[in-house]
Amino acid sequence: MSQLNQGLTLFLSLLVEATPFLLLGVAFSSLLAVLVDERKLIAYTPKNPVLAAISGSLFGCLFPVCECGNVPVARRLLMQGAPSALAIGFLLAAPTVNPIVFWATWVAFRDQPAMVFWRVGLTILISVTIACVFSVQKDMRPFLQPAIARYLPNPDPKPEPALVGSGSSLLSGGDFLLQSTGTLKLDQPMMATLGATTALPQQSWHDKAQAVLEMMLQEFRELGAVLVFGSAIAATVQVAIPREWILALGQGPITSILAMMLLAWVVSICSTVDSFFALSFSSLFTSGSILAFLVFGPMIDLKNISLLLTTFKGRAVMYLFVLAAQLTFVLTLAVNSYTSW
Amino acid sequence: MKRMLHWPTVWDTLALLLWGLMLLRYWWSGRLAVLLHPDYHWLAIGAGWVLVGMGLWRGVTLFRPSPASANPGAHIALLPRQWSLMVLLAIAVFGLIYVPRPFASEAALARGIADPVALTRSQPQQFARQTPPAERSLIDWIRTLNVYPEPDAYTDQPVNVTGFVIHPPQWDDNYLMVARFVLTCCAADAYPVGLPVALTGDRTEFPPDSWISVQGAMQTETLDGQRRLVIAPQEVLTVPEPQNPYEF
């Protein structure tokens, strides 16, 4: 009976501590989805792959989204012609490298402030590395689902104007839409097409607020349910599994990292609240393994694989998964082996 | 045409309102202290009000001619909507009924409190000010011991601490442990700390999980094969459970 009470108190405390951060996360991601125009942002970002990867992985500071919000944003970035390094860097780092997650991790690991810096540092390192690897692939289209790839520009260095004014350019092939202002070529990049069309109907502030609230509710409903499952698993593991087993697993420098990475992958808890989940294991597991949980979980987990597959083909998701897993494992093992932290 | 009640909106409204009320109820009933570090109470209370606000906003759409159906589109459903709603509703109802209780002696024993090796898992990264011995709380004593573990260094120092009672099974019947859980963030990271008390009589006078206040002096004894700092009490009083059962 005491164990049941202990488990329930643990479960409720995780929920009560995590709910404010979850709300903050869904509020920001909804605001951004409705209010921010990524096209303007892309225009200001560097084209060099390494710089694009770095700026992409820091984009999260502007778009504080968790790993459910980042896939739609990364998809919009790709469709609007962002360099692949920027989109991949954003995809992997944004759920961790953002002010809300920074704050939540700080709150959870007040005893070990170094955790926050390790977490952010390793995430940026891994994201930039993977983004650079992906940038070698100049044409991203074979990696993307056909529905998305259609919108992507051809990396061929002969750009064509969207609006065809003179007669000679009519010689180029493709689908065209005849408009009063000129001819619009339909198979152009989304950005160019959208830029050329007349402005979209302006929404009133009331409509926008309504849309933000609607989206917040939608995300809260779903992520709240995932949070409930995650908290239940954390509480059960702590209470029901014998301490000796967990200690045996959690004190080995390699087994602890593998166990926490597997847990991160299965539990799929939202990155704004995962530090509270990890906190409940921090007295039993090595610091490196807690770090592995906090770095790997937001990049790839069971939940966002289904989201990633809406944008990327299976092969590309596999590459992302394998690279992220290997880098996390090697780097956190180094933390376990070479630092006294 | 007769207007139908839009059930999905009703469920949304209920889920949001009940979640908000669940958080606020812990605050009103003073049980938030059992779940969270006091520094973060305002976050939970704020979230409670926001959820109630969202619930009211959702409720208002029930009385409009057509329920809002704005859909920003970029959302990919992971769980069926009804499932998520039912999970949220069920947990909110449960949370409104269940009264969370602080961790007790069984939990402390399960976490190996009687083992003198694992004094505390905290890695102090700041210098704590020196507190006079008689004013040290349990966690102050444990932190002091962490820095300088030799028990003889504290002999005859006055001690005055409050905590709950644990009866470690491997100890003699005249020894008990006065203990508390320490919190850094929420109950999920609570870990127990405690000091042995050498009673003159039998420990059954103070049952496990009852709260006591112990005044006395420190001495060194060999307990379970280990030299340890033990409280020799002058007075042991039974006290009510404090409003905030944890230390920080």
Side-chain angles (χ1 to χ4, degrees):
Chain A
M1 201 54 207
S2 154
Q3 273 196 328
L4 182 66
N5 270 325
Q6 196 191 336
L8 290 174
T9 302
L10 212 74
F11 170 70
L12 286 173
S13 98
L14 282 171
L15 280 188
V16 169
E17 177 73 67
T19 306
F21 289 97
L22 185 66
L23 268 179
L24 211 59
V26 300
F28 266 101
S29 91
S30 311
L31 270 175
L32 287 164
V34 176
L35 301 182
V36 171
D37 184 355
E38 294 101 358
R39 277 174 284 166
K40 289 185 185 140
L41 216 57
I42 293 170
Y44 291 112
T45 52
K47 297 289 173 278
N48 174 296
V50 179
L51 291 179
I54 293 173
S55 52
S57 61
L58 296 176
F59 253 30
C61 297
L62 304 173
F63 294 79
V65 289
C66 74
E67 71 263 35
C68 326
N70 72 335
V71 178
V73 177
R75 184 173 46 196
R76 284 200 296 272
L77 288 175
L78 278 172
M79 283 163 68
Q80 284 157 10
S84 55
L86 182 91
I88 300 284
F90 173 81
L91 186 75
L92 295 175
T96 307
V97 186
N98 76 55
I100 297 174
V101 174
F102 196 90
W103 185 28
T105 315
W106 187 272
V107 166
F109 289 91
R110 244 180 3 164
D111 264 5
Q112 294 165 273
M115 187 65 85
V116 184
F117 300 104
W118 275 110
R119 180 181 196 187
V120 172
L122 284 192
T123 302
I124 293 179
L125 182 64
I126 294 174
S127 312
V128 170
T129 311
I130 298 179
C132 288
V133 170
F134 268 75
S135 73
V136 175
Q137 172 81 11
K138 286 279 172 275
D139 185 2
M140 279 294 279
R141 287 178 294 180
F143 279 178
L144 300 174
Q145 293 293 350
I148 313 284
R150 262 186 32 222
Y151 291 110
L152 244 61
N154 191 336
D156 205 325
K158 279 191 295 181
E160 291 173 89
L163 273 173
V164 189
S166 63
S168 63
S169 51
L170 270 175
L171 292 174
S172 62
D175 296 325
F176 292 86
L177 186 68
L178 291 169
Q179 286 197 324
S180 56
T181 50
T183 318
L184 190 68
K185 192 165 184 288
L186 278 184
D187 47 3
Q188 278 293 318
M190 191 63 166
M191 178 169 64
T193 313
L194 280 177
T197 50
T198 43
L200 296 167
Q202 281 291 314
Q203 281 186 314
S204 72
W205 279 104
H206 178 261
D207 288 345
K208 280 185 178 169
Q210 195 78 11
V212 169
L213 278 167
E214 193 79 33
M215 197 162 167
M216 262 180 83
L217 171 64
Q218 212 172 42
E219 293 203 338
F220 178 76
R221 196 160 50 209
E222 188 162 297
L223 302 182
V226 176
L227 175 66
V228 168
F229 286 125
S231 306
I233 292 173
T236 313
V237 168
Q238 274 217 35
V239 178
I241 297 182
R243 197 180 134 87
E244 298 79 55
W245 294 12
I246 299 189
L247 274 179
L249 196 65
Q251 294 304 311
I254 293 177
T255 53
S256 63
I257 293 178
L258 291 177
M260 282 315 265
M261 280 173 66
L262 181 70
L263 198 62
W265 191 72
V266 172
V267 172
S268 305
I269 195 162
C270 182
S271 67
T272 44
V273 294
D274 63 354
S275 36
F276 302 108
F277 179 96
L279 184 62
S280 59
F281 292 92
S282 65
S283 55
L284 304 170
F285 277 72
T286 58
S287 296
S289 67
I290 302 291
L291 194 59
F293 178 93
L294 294 176
V295 170
F296 184 61
M299 289 184 183
I300 311 259
D301 57 33
L302 199 55
K303 169 186 64 177
N304 84 345
I305 275 191
S306 61
L307 292 176
L308 284 171
L309 283 172
T310 62
T311 304
F312 295 95
K313 283 195 178 151
R315 194 160 53 110
V317 175
M318 195 63 200
Y319 293 155
L320 281 173
F321 176 82
V322 170
L323 282 171
Q326 283 178 342
L327 285 169
T328 311
F329 178 75
V330 170
L331 289 171
T332 53
L333 188 61
V335 168
N336 262 352
S337 314
Y338 297 111
T339 67
S340 59
W341 174 69
Chain B
M1 193 179 77
K2 193 178 166 225
R3 258 187 65 206
M4 294 285 287
L5 204 53
H6 190 252
W7 281 105
T9 313
V10 174
W11 292 123
D12 277 352
T13 311
L14 263 180
L16 288 167
L17 284 177
L18 290 180
W19 261 71
L21 287 176
M22 172 180 85
L23 294 179
L24 293 175
R25 173 195 166 239
Y26 290 138
W27 170 44
W28 288 327
S29 61
R31 299 313 280 180
L32 212 50
V34 174
L35 302 173
L36 284 191
H37 190 290
D39 282 3
Y40 307 117
H41 284 186
W42 66 273
L43 274 172
I45 298 165
W49 286 118
V50 169
L51 285 170
V52 169
M54 282 174 71
L56 292 177
W57 158 78
R58 195 61 175 163
V60 165
T61 58
L62 270 179
F63 303 101
R64 294 235 181 93
S66 63
S69 59
N71 187 1
H75 190 81
I76 296 126
L78 188 71
L79 288 172
R81 174 190 166 117
Q82 294 89 335
W83 282 35
S84 320
L85 266 177
M86 285 308 126
V87 168
L88 290 181
L89 269 172
I91 295 301
V93 170
F94 167 76
L96 278 167
I97 297 167
Y98 180 77
V99 179
R101 266 174 285 173
F103 296 146
S105 60
E106 205 172 307
L109 282 172
R111 290 175 193 213
I113 190 178
D115 181 8
V117 181
L119 281 178
T120 158
R121 68 118 206 264
S122 78
Q123 305 169 340
Q125 300 196 359
Q126 60 181 21
F127 294 103
R129 70 192 159 83
Q130 277 294 324
T131 322
E135 288 171 28
R136 279 181 202 147
S137 63
L138 267 173
I139 183 65
D140 292 335
W141 272 106
I142 298 299
R143 283 182 184 138
T144 313
L145 266 175
N146 256 7
V147 176
Y148 192 75
E150 171 51 50
D152 280 346
Y154 308 97
T155 303
D156 291 336
Q157 287 196 358
V159 53
N160 177 9
V161 292
T162 304
F164 63 89
V165 175
I166 301 177
H167 290 179
Q170 66 274 37
W171 293 3
D172 290 340
D173 279 348
N174 59 330
Y175 288 95
L176 58 77
M177 184 171 252
V178 55
R180 272 195 122 141
F181 274 93
V182 179
L183 228 62
T184 26
C185 159
C186 57
D189 68 287
Y191 64 97
V193 296
L195 284 171
V197 182
L199 299 171
T200 43
D202 193 80
R203 65 184 176 188
T204 44
E205 192 187 335
F206 306 102
D209 297 334
S210 59
W211 282 76
I212 54 170
S213 149
V214 186
Q215 278 117 49
M218 284 302 189
Q219 63 186 37
T220 307
E221 286 191 27
T222 304
L223 199 59
D224 207 19
Q226 297 256 356
R227 281 179 70 241
R228 292 189 67 164
L229 191 64
V230 172
I231 304 176
Q234 280 137 17
E235 192 177 30
V236 182
L237 293 174
T238 307
V239 292
E241 182 187 315
Q243 178 74 23
N244 196 331
Y246 304 114
E247 280 186 2
F248 311 102

